[in-house]
């Protein structure tokens, strides 16, 4: 990496120049404090340093800083001896100012050096970030304000801190780091805040073993303790000897100064003090007791204890406890994860905790957080997000230190400039966090190499991948399937074409017409405008004049006069509206004419609906709410001077108000009015406003009512103001109803009319909101694989074969993983039943190849072969509890050849059970001798002893050499699990397995683990396989396989689209051929025996044509004639036989005539007709081929979809339904597997219960929601679940059931409700997959039944007697023994559990290669001509 410019030294020089200019600036009392310490240390003996009190600014720093002041005083006496006089209080000569400020700048060089060391110690990939952090500290405004204006010596102190942190980066300099920090504590005791982090880190990394915290490095511990004692002894030795420790501690820890400093540091206690001040103001109003002695004492910052008026006083012990409690989580994490990054973070957080909760914290202590935090702020954006507000608030909190007007611009401008500059730089440099997000699967991405023509500092524009995808539509032409830039260019080109082609004279009137139009659809708007303007013409428009003799002439409209419509008084039209146009002819410029609309027309292509649509799409737009008016775009409206002010009644707010009013009117329509159904009487108006009635109104009401009863035609309307009183009288007299002339009673006001029925729901809706049907059939009962199912279930006879419910999920997951990635693992596919049977085996007399091969295949993917990348480990493992042996190191592995048997280890180096006992006895004896009590550790397994006893040939070495013979793969599993037990997340699971494979009461040998594995139950074996499969998913082989599958899916989708396009084109060709066939069809049908040919359809074509059906009929008739039916005699059987005989005879005569016609020479038309028929058949055959190709591609897509197992859907109670063969595997397993004859893979439909979130959110509701649901449906959701699911249930996601009968599947489909959202999708998916699921359910049932029959038949026949024992053929008793790993044999020449065969000669290899090639040639291939596999390709890893 090139040297950074400007360098840290150059920036320091520039900063120094600026700081020199600040020499005359404001200086605080700290300037006098340090001058007094110069004088004190120079003129007083050491014994009196911590007793001298001539000045109020006594020495309150540790002795190390006093020695530092004494060294400065030796130089100061040559500058100005008067400054070294203790009695010269507040002495500030220019010589003194220059000297003291210069010493601050000179000592700050230590910080510059430390930051330079920090940059050089950083890896090359992070040098730029460390350089930016170092510059930010060098130019820090906090150091500028505190040291160079306010005056202190923090620069060189933090230089020592940074240098100590840099030394802690390497183990070789850890001792230097500890000693530097001890020296720093002797200089300024405020760094005690950071001491806990140093103590924990040095203890864990330097004093304790990295392999075990119980192993102490006594040499390191002694050296570190000695160094610390030397440093502390040099600093404090004199005062300890003189017995001045009490006086020294009183000066260093002046607890009497109070909880808060004069300038409140922004911490917890400043908020506490502020709260006390506020309570003091409101105390009289609320009766709060006030401590009168504390009124003038609250946090003054001077010497003297502070107390609070209203709140309880805080003691130093309280602040210490709070500080320690807040630091404890950080220190625990540092002890468990002792990395350098964790150490710097712990230092930062310890400083932060002390700043927040410490006693008498100065505002300047914010540097304890900012300096170390700056070193890790660029680690990733999470850290930067926390550093940014802290940097702003921390620097602003220092502003009260400079309260003079002269320094105000300096602190404001410089701080703002620093914040803007470095926060922007940090924002550009901070990378995104590599820590994965929850519930988000990240796919590893390989970055592209930087092009050679692009420099490091060159900015490059990126184009989004979305702009390249062809998903965009041209808004003007409507063309789809375009990329973003193609669509943009199409719109620009079409816009120019529209402008040129559309008549200019029509643009302005059309735009004014559509402005604020409320016609919602653009199509309707186009139709409306076109109908209005197609017969209307405008000045300046080019038109065509039609003459009465039929002639035409182009012309230009010069003027237009419109005559309105005339209407007679009776409403009839006297004259329709019309227009007159004054036109001038183009080819006869001297001639003009006045014509009407009937004699004018436009060019046919100048004004069409298509052009009008394109013009409107370009010029108008509307918002995305219902009823929004169309508005002309602002640029075009400005060009044509069209107003863009939307009328008030068309705005969104008024439209919403109008809708609400309409709904209210509709809801209250005819309420409170008397409705009259008499044909001679009109209806009364709706109720109006209430008015005060008079006697005259009542009389008029009575008169009108009497006339209405007499059916008076003159009756028209009852006045609104007087109708109410009489209606009430009628209601009272009639008992609440009003009846007119025998009509049915009408509801009147005062009696609430029945509420309208609720609108029918719009299905589908939420499933649990559907009304339960109590008498409906329940869900078909589930079957369970486990013995602890939610219902009583008979337990199997063999305890070791009992499957627990917690193991069913991992059992399915591991089976699915091994079958989906069987090509990666080089395994033959196997059925789920064989998998369970193999895992249930407990007799070690039989060698089950399936059980052994799946373990060996997965283990081989975790660690490479010794000849492949030196046996590199492919997964991330926790740090081993024991150091790796030399044989397992990568350097030694590079020289190893083929796998060899386990080496014979020398007896002297071998650790056996007896040697371990001897070593333990020796340790016990030594501990007793030293007076230490022995520590008894309870052992739950002996995996550690097994690992230690074979350290020269550990599990990684054995796995690299593929030493799986005689069950030794079990030892590899034990070693792997023991190393994984170092991970706290996996510790309990691994320990549970290891206590069974390496029990504490048996010898720690390989033979023990092999015999123990033969007796463990299926649940433990499933745990082992689950851990191995999860680890295998991290390997590069699996990731590459998934990447290849994704690429294949992309190719398959392209092929599918291509085939569908070809099929569509073939369908169009077939349609044209049918049209041609109809034209060429001859008058008589003697030319061809082919009857009518079906027309093409958009859906799939039928399998055959009608002539084939006829041939089938003929064949059937012939067979009947040759072999008549001999069954039972039925009524009229002889009549039907005669009819059949007659049809056969007619068919024979028809064939003879057809043959005779064929013998004649056909005409030319008949030849063409025959040719068309041939082409039609060829086109149909081509379409069928395309359809078959689409089916094959869809199946390839299904099998390549391997990243995840897709769920079929969920039912109303959130149960998930899985058919594992749905994706990522063939329906019946690999076609060339050893057990392909079984004809199925899983053959069951699996049901999983709801997860915790779904159960708590939708089933187990709170009391209020349960009450609401019970009120609506008279049951709670759990009660409904128990009723509608029947006898069997799955209550959580760890419970699984299954269906294995087609009848159960049909019952399940019938149980699902198509009105629910979830069950609609699930029902649709089950109906689509129903035939396939049922097929493989039947195949599974048939295979299992036939296997049971074979067991019964062959059970005795398989027994063979020998002299010594009776031998049973395993394959006769167990189906899983029929499986063999043919895939590994084909690809490797041997199965995984067997060692690699010895190398063959070149001649034998050539012959074997030839045989393999011949075998490949004879193997079945797919449509691409490649070997028949799931995706049509063979993966090599």
């Amino acid at each position: 990496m090139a040297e950074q410019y400007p360098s840290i030294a150059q920036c320091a020089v520039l900063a120094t120049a600026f700081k020199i200019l600040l020499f005359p600036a404001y200086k605080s009392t700290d300037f006098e404090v340090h001058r007094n310490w110069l004088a004190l240390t120079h003129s007083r003996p050491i014994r009196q340093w911590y007793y001298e009190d001539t000045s109020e600014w006594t020495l309150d720093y540790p002795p190390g800083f006093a020695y530092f002041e004494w060294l400065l005083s030796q130089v100061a006496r040559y500058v100005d001896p008067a400054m070294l006089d203790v009695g010269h209080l507040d002495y500030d000569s220019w010589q003194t100012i220059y000297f003291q400020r210069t010493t601050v700048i000179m000592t700050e060089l230590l910080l510059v050096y430390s930051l330079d060391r920090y940059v050089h110690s950083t890896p090359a990939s992070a040098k730029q970030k460390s350089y930016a952090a170092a510059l930010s500290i060098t130019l820090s405004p906090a150091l500028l304000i505190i040291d160079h204006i306010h005056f202190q010596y923090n620069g060189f102190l933090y230089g020592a801190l940074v240098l100590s942190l840099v030394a802690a980066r390497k183990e070789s300099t850890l001792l230097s780091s500890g000693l530097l920090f001890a020296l720093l504590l002797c200089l300024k005791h405020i760094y005690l805040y950071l001491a806990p982090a140093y103590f924990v880190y040095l203890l864990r990394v330097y004093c304790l073993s990295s392999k075990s915290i119980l192993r102490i490095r006594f040499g390191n511990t002694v050296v570190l303790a000695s160094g610390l004692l030397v440093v502390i002894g040099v600093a404090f030795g004199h005062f300890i000897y003189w017995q001045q420790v009490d006086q020294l501690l009183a000066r260093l820890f002046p607890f009497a100064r109070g909880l808060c400093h004069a300038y409140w540091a922004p911490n917890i206690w400043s908020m506490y003090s502020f709260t006390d001040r506020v309570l003091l103001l409101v105390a009289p109003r609320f009766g709060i007791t006030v401590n009168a002695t504390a009124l003038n004492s609250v946090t003054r910052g001077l010497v003297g204890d502070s107390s609070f008026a209203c709140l309880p006083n805080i003691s130093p012990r309280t602040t210490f406890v709070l500080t320690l409690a807040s630091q404890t989580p950080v220190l625990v994490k540092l002890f468990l994860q002792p990395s350098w990054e964790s150490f710097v973070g712990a230092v930062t957080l310890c400083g932060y905790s002390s700043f927040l909760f410490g006693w008498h914290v100065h505002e300047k202590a914010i540097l304890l957080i900012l300096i170390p935090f700056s070193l890790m702020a660029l680690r990733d954006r999470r850290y930067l997000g926390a550093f940014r507000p802290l940097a702003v608030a921390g620097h602003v909190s220092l502003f009260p230190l400079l309260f003079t007007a002269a320094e105000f611009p300096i602190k404001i401008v410089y701080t703002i400039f620093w914040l803007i500059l470095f926060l922007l730089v940090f924002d550009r440099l901070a990378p995104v966090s590599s820590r994965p997000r929850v519930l988000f699967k990240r796919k590893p991405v390989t970055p592209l190499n930087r092009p050679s023509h692009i420099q490091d500092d060159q900015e490059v524009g990126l184009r989004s991948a979305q702009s390249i995808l062809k998903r965009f539509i041209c808004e003007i032409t409507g063309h789809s399937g375009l990329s973003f830039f193609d669509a943009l260019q199409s719109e620009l080109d079409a816009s120019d074409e529209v402008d040129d082609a559309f008549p200019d004279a029509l643009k302005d009137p059309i735009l004014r017409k559509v402005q604020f139009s409320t016609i919602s659809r653009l199509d309707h708007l186009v139709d409306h405008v076109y109908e209005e303007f197609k017969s209307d013409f405008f000045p300046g428009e080019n038109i065509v004049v039609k003459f009465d003799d039929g002639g035409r002439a182009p012309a230009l409209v010069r003027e237009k006069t419109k005559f309105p419509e005339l209407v007679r008084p009776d409403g009839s039209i006297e004259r329709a509206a019309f227009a007159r146009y004054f036109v001038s002819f183009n080819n006869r410029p001297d001639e003009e004419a006045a014509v009407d609309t009937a004699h004018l027309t436009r060019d046919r292509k100048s004004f069409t609906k298509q052009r009008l649509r394109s013009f409107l799409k370009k010029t108008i737009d509307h918002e995305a709410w219902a009823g929004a008016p169309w508005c002309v775009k602002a640029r075009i409206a400005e060009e044509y001077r069209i107003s863009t002010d939307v009328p008030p009644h068309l705005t969104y707010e008024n439209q919403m108000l109008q809708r609400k009013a309409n709904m209210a009117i509709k809801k209250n329509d005819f309420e409170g009015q008397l409705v009259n159904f008499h044909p001679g009487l009109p209806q009364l108006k709706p109720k109006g406003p209430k008015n005060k009635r008079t006697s005259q109104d009542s009389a008029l009401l009575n008169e009108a009512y009497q006339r209405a009863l007499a059916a008076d035609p003159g009756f028209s309307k009852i006045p609104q103001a007087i109708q109410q009183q009489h209606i009430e009288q009628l209601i009272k007299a009639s008992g609440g109803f009003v009846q007119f002339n025998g009509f049915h009673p009408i509801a009147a006001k005062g009696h609430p009319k029945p509420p309208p029925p609720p609108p029918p729901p719009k299905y589908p809706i939420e499933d649990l909101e559907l009304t339960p049907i109590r008498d409906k059939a329940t869900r078909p009962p589930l079957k369970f694989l486990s013995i602890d199912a939610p219902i009583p279930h008979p337990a199997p006879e063999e305890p070791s074969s009992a499957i627990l419910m917690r193991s069913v999920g991992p059992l399915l997951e591991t089976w699915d993983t091994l079958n989906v990635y069987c090509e990666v693992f080089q395994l033959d596919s196997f059925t789920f039943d064989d998998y369970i049977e193999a895992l249930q085996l407990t007799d070690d007399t039989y060698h089950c190849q399936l059980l052994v091969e799946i373990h060996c295949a997965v283990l081989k993917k975790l660690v490479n072969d010794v000849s492949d990348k030196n046996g590199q480990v492919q997964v991330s493992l926790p740090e081993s509890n024991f150091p790796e042996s030399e044989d397992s190191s990568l350097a030694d592995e590079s020289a190893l050849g083929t796998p060899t048997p386990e080496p014979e280890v020398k007896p002297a180096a071998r650790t056996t059970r007896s040697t371990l006992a001897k070593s333990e006895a020796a340790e016990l004896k030594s501990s007793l001798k030293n007076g230490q009590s022995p520590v008894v550790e309870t052992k739950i397994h002996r995996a550690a002893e097994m690992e230690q006893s074979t350290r020269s040939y550990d599990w990684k070495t054995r796995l690299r050499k593929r030493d799986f013979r005689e069950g030794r793969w079990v030892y590899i599993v034990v070693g792997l699990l023991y190393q994984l037990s170092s991970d706290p997340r996996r510790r309990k699971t691994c320990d549970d397995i290891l206590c069974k494979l390496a029990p504490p009461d048996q010898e720690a040998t390989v033979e023990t683990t092999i015999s123990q594995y033969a007796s463990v139950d299926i649940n433990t074996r499933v745990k082992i396989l689950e851990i191995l499969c999860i680890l295998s998913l991290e390997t590069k082989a699996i990731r590459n396989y998934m990447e290849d599958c994704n690429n294949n899916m992309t190719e398959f989708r392209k092929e599918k689209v291509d085939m569908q396009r070809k099929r569509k084109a073939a369908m169009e060709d077939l349609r044209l051929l049918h049209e041609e066939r109809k034209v060429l069809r001859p008058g008589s049908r003697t030319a061809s025996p082919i009857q009518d040919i079906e027309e093409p359809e958009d859906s799939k074509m039928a399998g055959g044509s009608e002539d084939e059906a006829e041939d089938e009929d003929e064949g059937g008739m012939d067979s009947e004639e040759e072999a008549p039916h001999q069954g039972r005699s039925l009524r009229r059987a002889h009549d039907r036989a005669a009819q059949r005989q007659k049809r056969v005879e007619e068919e024979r005569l028809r064939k003879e005539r057809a043959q005779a016609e064929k013998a004649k020479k056909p005409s030319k038309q008949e030849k063409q007709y025959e040719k068309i028929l041939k082409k039609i058949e060829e086109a149909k055959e081509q379409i069928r081929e395309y359809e078959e190709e689409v089916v094959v591609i869809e199946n390839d897509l299904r099998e390549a979809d391997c990243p995840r197992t897709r769920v079929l859907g969920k039912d109303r109670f959130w149960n998930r339904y899985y058919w594992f063969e749905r994706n990522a595997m063939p329906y019946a397993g690999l076609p060339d597997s050893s057990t392909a004859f079984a004809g199925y893979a899983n053959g069951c439909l699996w049901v999983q219960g709801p997860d915790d979130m779904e159960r708590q959110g939708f089933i187990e509701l709170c009391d209020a929601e349960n009450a609401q649901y019970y009120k609506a449906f008279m049951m709670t959701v759990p009660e409904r679940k128990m009723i509608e699911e029947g006898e069997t249930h799955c209550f959580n996601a760890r419970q699984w059931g299954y269906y294995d009968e087609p009848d159960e599947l049909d019952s399940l489909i019938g149980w699902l409700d198509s009105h629910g959202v979830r069950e609609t999708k699930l029902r649709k998916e089950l109906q689509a997959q129903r035939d396939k699921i049922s097929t493989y359910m039947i195949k599974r049932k048939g295979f299992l039944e036939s296997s049971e029959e074979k067991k019964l038949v062959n059970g005795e026949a398989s027994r063979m007697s020998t002299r010594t024992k009776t031998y049973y053929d395993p394959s006769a008793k167990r189906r899983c023994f029929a499986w063999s790993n043919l895939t590994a044999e084909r690809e490797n020449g041997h199965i995984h559990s067997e060692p690699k065969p010895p190398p063959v000669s070149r001649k034998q290899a050539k012959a074997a290669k030839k045989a393999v090639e011949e075998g490949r040639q004879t193997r079945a291939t797919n449509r691409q001509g490649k070997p028949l596999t799931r995706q049509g390709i063979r993966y090599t890893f």
Side-chain angles (χ1 to χ4, degrees), residues 811-824:
L811 197 65
L812 290 166
E813 292 172 4
T814 53
W815 174 85
D816 187 62
T817 301
L818 293 171
N819 278 269
V820 168
Y821 303 108
C822 62
E823 291 176 346
V824 183

Side-chain angles (χ1 to χ4, degrees), residues 89-102:
L89 301 180
D90 297 330
Y91 184 82
D92 58 348
S93 66
W94 281 111
Q95 292 84 348
T96 304
I97 294 174
Y98 289 155
F99 173 78
Q100 290 197 241
R101 291 201 182 275
T102 302

